[in-house]
Amino acid sequence: MTAGQAKPAEPAVADGLQERFDATIARDQRIEPRDWMPEGYRATLIRQIAQHAHSEIIGMQPEGEWITRAPSLRRKAILFAKVQDEAGHGLYLYSAAETLGADRADLTERLIEGRQKYSSIFNYPTLSFADVGVIGWFVDGAAICNQVPLCRSSYGPYARAMVRICKEESFHQRQGYELLMTMMRGTDAQREMVQDAVNRWWWPSLMMFGPPDDNSPNSARSMAWKIKRHSNDELRRRFVDMTVPQAEKLGVTLPDPELRWNEERGHHDFGTPDWDELTRVIQGDGPCNARRVERRRTAHEEGAWVREAALAHAAKQAARTARGAAA
Ligand code: FAQ
């Protein structure tokens, strides 16, 4: 550029957009799809919301495997409703991702090709009906701890989706706890099933909150952008504090010899999850990863005709509406 030549227009960010975005975040107001946002913010949200949506959809499988084997009509109806709710949660979340410019078909491809993650917890097997109760109690309980603060997430469509999801997760958690209460009032064999399920699901449930804070590469930025409101370790601690008295009331033992109340801190001390196991499961090497993804791929392929029919129907409707408008 020679002297006297006009300066080229600055990129849009220089027009005060970044400042406006920062001010909106600082005032605890919401960013909406129409608003300018930094690309990193958009990418982080798409990553987290897509992983979350995939978790809901893959998360239908471990409990879904028990629908045909539920011990009574009542338990079957409850389980059916719960698994259906998870599908609904997945759909709200894919819609929230679409408001950021993501394409749902593309997200599904990424999931079934192993290019996008879903929660580690759904890679463990459900070996008895007590697992259904423990998933409701622990997994939905952990989901509530993690997701209630997300109702205040800075991105409007994500935060609003969370409100309804959390209400439903609350029902899920209670149905799980009620199922376990019933089993604990049953036979010795039923009580043993509950304790066995608690032993298997406790540590993987603590891992749901993600790696420890000093090894969580996304946390600092996500918290500065108020996408995440609390750190992984903080939410994990809340979950332990919430669950210990529930375990006492139920009459089960949580499988952690280091678990005890710390009077000084006003919280429980607890042992360290096996972080190598979490890494292995996230990287695809958990007990059920291959089975879960394969099942999702098959369902996707088998559903192709439904998607084609829905598109053909929509095209016909649009053509009919256009003809009506022209007449
Ligand atoms: N599993 O830097 P951070 C449910 C990944 S829904 C797999 O700490 P971030 C309902 C993480 O993505 C359960 N991957 O990451 C239900 C990142 O990978 P990337 C799902 C994990 O995002 C109940 C890398 O490790 N809930 O249960 C896990 O700041 C019953 C580094 O980690 C949500 O998705 C993990 N456990 O924090 C359904 C809630 N942990 O992308 C059916 C929303 C970490 O950099 C039945 N998500 N990773 O390659 C969140 O709150 C956050 O994304 C965290 C992770 C806390 C999960």
Side-chain angles (χ1 to χ4, degrees), residues 179-240:
L179 164 56
L180 298 176
M181 275 286 190
T182 307
M183 290 186 78
M184 291 302 284
R185 285 195 295 265
T187 62
D188 283 346
Q190 285 175 306
R191 279 187 283 278
E192 276 164 30
M193 278 166 71
V194 174
Q195 184 61 58
D196 174 61
V198 165
N199 293 348
R200 286 182 287 105
W201 287 91
W202 175 247
W203 292 107
S205 299
L206 292 192
M207 293 176 200
M208 274 179 78
F209 294 92
D213 291 352
D214 56 12
N215 193 23
S216 165
N218 299 298
S219 275
R221 228 157 58 130
S222 285
M223 287 176 69
W225 278 327
K226 298 184 183 169
I227 294 173
K228 274 169 83 161
R229 292 292 186 151
H230 303 282
S231 78
N232 299 355
D233 285 334
E234 199 181 336
L235 293 173
R236 197 173 357 256
R237 274 196 299 274
R238 277 191 194 183
F239 173 72
V240 172

Side-chain angles (χ1 to χ4, degrees), residues 137-169:
W137 178 30
F138 284 171
V139 178
D140 287 280
I144 292 167
C145 279
N146 171 271
Q147 291 170 28
V148 166
L150 292 176
C151 297
R152 292 187 298 113
S153 180
S154 58
Y155 186 58
Y158 189 34
R160 287 189 288 275
M162 280 301 131
V163 174
R164 175 149 176 199
I165 291 179
C166 286
K167 284 185 184 160
E168 292 179 351
E169 302 293 24

Side-chain angles (χ1 to χ4, degrees), residues 81-106:
K82 178 182 192 285
V83 171
Q84 222 163 23
D85 283 352
E86 311 300 358
H89 299 174
L91 300 188
Y92 312 150
L93 289 163
Y94 284 127
S95 298
E98 283 179 327
T99 67
L100 291 155
D103 174 64
R104 184 168 152 197
D106 174 58

